[in-house]
Amino acid sequence: METNEREFEKTGGKKSKSVVVLAICVACLLVVNIGLVVFQVITATAAQKADKKVSQFIDDERERQAKELEGEAYQEDGYSVGGQYEIKSTTAISDAYKSNDNSQLNEQEVETLKLASDVIKEVVKDNMSDYEKEVAVYDWMCKNINTSEGGAISVPGVNTTEAVSTPYGVLTGKQAVCVGYATTFRLLMNMLGIDCHIVHNDYHSWDLVQIGEHWYHVDIYSDSSTGNYANFNMSDSMARNGHEWNDKGALPVADSYEYCYAYQNAVETKDINTIPKTVYSATYGVRENAAFYFNIGAFDATKSQRVSVMAEIMNQVFESGMDDNLSGKYIDCSLINVDENTTIVCYSLTDSRAGEGGEGEMSYEEIYQEMLELINKTFKIDFAGGYAG
């Protein structure tokens, strides 16, 4: 008995010690796990607090920037482009047109209203959409207003600067700098009930017009020599390819291609080697501008350079005089990067002799005979003339 009890005490004592040790280990593990959980909770809470601080900082920064924008509103009227061409308000004139009451206008404004109204009567037809009205005004301005470099233009009642930068001077003298194109286009759009603003930097200005639900950039000054719509109804991304401006967020965003003429009329061209054939076919009978748009896909420096060189060589051919039908023609080439997947090549084919001979180029003999008949009719005589051929 004593021996068994001793054995039991020995073995039982060892087991008890093992149990105690195991219990201590389990307790330690529990403490460690609890510590990890507590640490994770503390860390998560700290992260949440940090996220809240970051979010609050962003919100505060946005609010601060918004307040700054309120204090620095975009200046349109009164801004001077190039240090000399001031953008002047034409709201009184467009309001007078819409209300049919010019009693509050001064003499020059009344004349401006008449000149602008005559343009609208000439180009705007019944049932035209806003887009069709915009195109009609753009076409008229490209055809009838010449680009001026700010030289001495004589227009009654205005100085030489205003003669090319105000609607009155532009519609009277038919010459304009960029400010003149921008203010005249804005006036005509506003008279037609189409919202329009002027975008500018220190050296250039153009328009931002709303057609339908979207806004578009229009730079008639840059298109005036070709009328090829390369700078007509551009999105912000398209306009920034050749324009710089900082509107401090005050101007509407232009992010649509719905009424972008070049984008909508571009023919997808997988093989740019077919482009010269299209241009060659168009050379016969072209006496005015003819614009062609080719969508060559994603921007590629080599491909873009190739279409530019095509235009350069074709112009050399036109100048060579090797073909009478091609002689006198000229191609203006513009590359429009719409987005990362779309580059549009705009070719504007112009006959430099257009307008010199009406329907076709006239020889000296034909002109002499025409003028001889006019003189005989005017003087009521039958003079044979002295042209010997």
Side-chain angles (χ1 to χ4, degrees):
M1 284 293 291
E2 291 182 2
T3 303
N4 292 335
E5 288 179 358
R6 287 174 182 170
E7 289 295 328
F8 175 78
E9 287 178 359
K10 289 180 181 180
T11 56
K14 290 181 180 180
K15 289 180 180 179
S16 297
K17 289 180 180 178
S18 299
V19 170
V20 171
V21 171
L22 179 61
I24 291 172
C25 290
V26 171
C28 289
L29 289 173
L30 288 172
V31 170
V32 171
N33 286 335
I34 292 172
L36 288 172
V37 171
V38 171
F39 176 76
Q40 289 173 350
V41 170
I42 293 174
T43 303
T45 302
Q48 289 176 353
K49 289 182 178 179
D51 288 343
K52 287 182 178 179
K53 287 183 179 180
V54 171
S55 297
Q56 186 62 48
F57 173 79
I58 293 174
D59 291 341
D60 291 343
E61 186 65 14
R62 286 174 176 171
E63 184 177 353
R64 182 187 65 78
Q65 291 177 0
K67 288 181 179 179
E68 287 184 356
L69 292 177
E70 290 177 3
E72 296 184 36
Y74 180 77
Q75 183 183 4
E76 187 170 339
D77 294 329
Y79 188 88
S80 182
V81 177
Q84 59 179 327
Y85 300 110
E86 182 182 344
I87 299 172
K88 295 192 173 182
S89 175
T90 55
T91 302
I93 301 173
S94 56
D95 285 350
Y97 177 84
K98 288 182 282 189
S99 66
N100 197 29
D101 179 9
N102 65 4
S103 60
Q104 301 301 312
L105 302 181
N106 60 39
E107 184 177 345
Q108 188 178 105
E109 289 173 332
V110 170
E111 182 61 22
T112 304
L113 175 60
K114 181 183 181 303
L115 292 168
S117 298
D118 288 343
V119 173
I120 291 176
K121 289 178 182 177
E122 179 181 343
V123 303
V124 175
K125 310 303 179 185
D126 292 340
N127 300 319
M128 272 187 170
S129 65
D130 284 349
Y131 173 69
E132 290 169 333
K133 293 174 184 177
E134 180 197 18
V135 172
V137 171
Y138 168 95
D139 288 342
W140 185 90
M141 290 187 65
C142 285
K143 185 175 182 179
N144 292 279
I145 308 299
N146 297 314
T147 301
S148 171
E149 299 302 326
I153 306 299
S154 179
V155 175
V158 297
N159 58 43
T160 55
T161 299
E162 293 183 345
V164 292
S165 63
T166 64
Y168 174 74
V170 170
L171 294 174
T172 301
K174 298 296 191 299
Q175 294 199 52
V177 292
C178 63
V179 175
Y181 280 101
T183 53
T184 303
F185 182 76
R186 182 186 63 175
L187 171 61
L188 292 166
M189 289 296 98
N190 288 341
M191 288 171 66
L192 292 168
I194 300 172
D195 202 0
C196 185
H197 298 289
I198 293 178
V199 191
H200 58 72
N201 52 38
D202 291 339
Y203 56 87
H204 189 43
S205 64
W206 62 97
D207 295 279
L208 187 68
V209 61
Q210 183 178 25
I211 302 297
E213 299 297 322
H214 301 285
W215 291 83
Y216 303 88
H217 293 266
V218 180
D219 186 354
I220 301 182
Y221 173 85
S222 295
D223 284 352
S224 59
S225 62
T226 62
N228 63 2
Y229 307 99
N231 291 275
F232 180 77
N233 283 4
M234 302 175 287
S235 66
D236 284 340
S237 61
M238 294 174 68
R240 288 195 186 279
N241 288 323
H243 301 74
E244 297 178 353
W245 72 97
N246 181 12
D247 60 19
K248 299 184 183 298
L251 290 173
V253 174
D255 57 3
S256 174
Y257 304 129
E258 182 179 0
Y259 290 108
C260 173
Y261 191 96
Y263 181 82
Q264 295 298 339
N265 290 277
V267 176
E268 186 173 357
T269 306
K270 294 181 179 179
D271 182 4
I272 64 173
N273 292 329
T274 63
I275 293 178
K277 183 178 180 180
T278 302
V279 176
Y280 175 76
S281 298
T283 57
Y284 291 92
V286 173
R287 298 291 297 174
E288 299 290 342
N289 290 339
F292 307 93
Y293 308 93
F294 306 97
N295 182 352
I296 62 174
F299 176 79
D300 179 280
T302 301
K303 187 187 294 185
S304 299
Q305 186 175 28
R306 286 177 67 194
V307 295
S308 295
V309 172
M310 282 181 187
E312 180 182 345
I313 295 175
M314 283 189 282
N315 280 329
Q316 292 173 356
V317 171
F318 296 158
E319 293 172 359
S320 70
M322 295 179 66
D323 187 320
D324 290 339
N325 183 70
L326 303 180
S327 180
K329 291 183 170 59
Y330 176 79
I331 285 181
D332 178 82
C333 176
S334 301
L335 291 175
I336 307 171
N337 294 322
V338 178
D339 53 42
E340 61 181 6
N341 297 314
T342 309
T343 299
I344 296 174
V345 177
C346 177
Y347 276 172
S348 181
L349 178 63
T350 304
D351 192 328
S352 62
R353 300 167 300 179
E356 294 180 4
E359 294 299 321
E361 185 177 17
M362 298 176 67
S363 66
Y364 178 81
E365 181 180 4
E366 291 172 328
I367 295 174
Y368 184 92
Q369 291 300 323
E370 181 180 321
M371 294 302 100
L372 179 61
E373 291 176 10
L374 175 63
I375 298 301
N376 279 331
K377 182 177 180 180
T378 302
F379 284 80
K380 298 179 181 180
I381 57 177
D382 189 19
F383 179 63
Y387 177 71

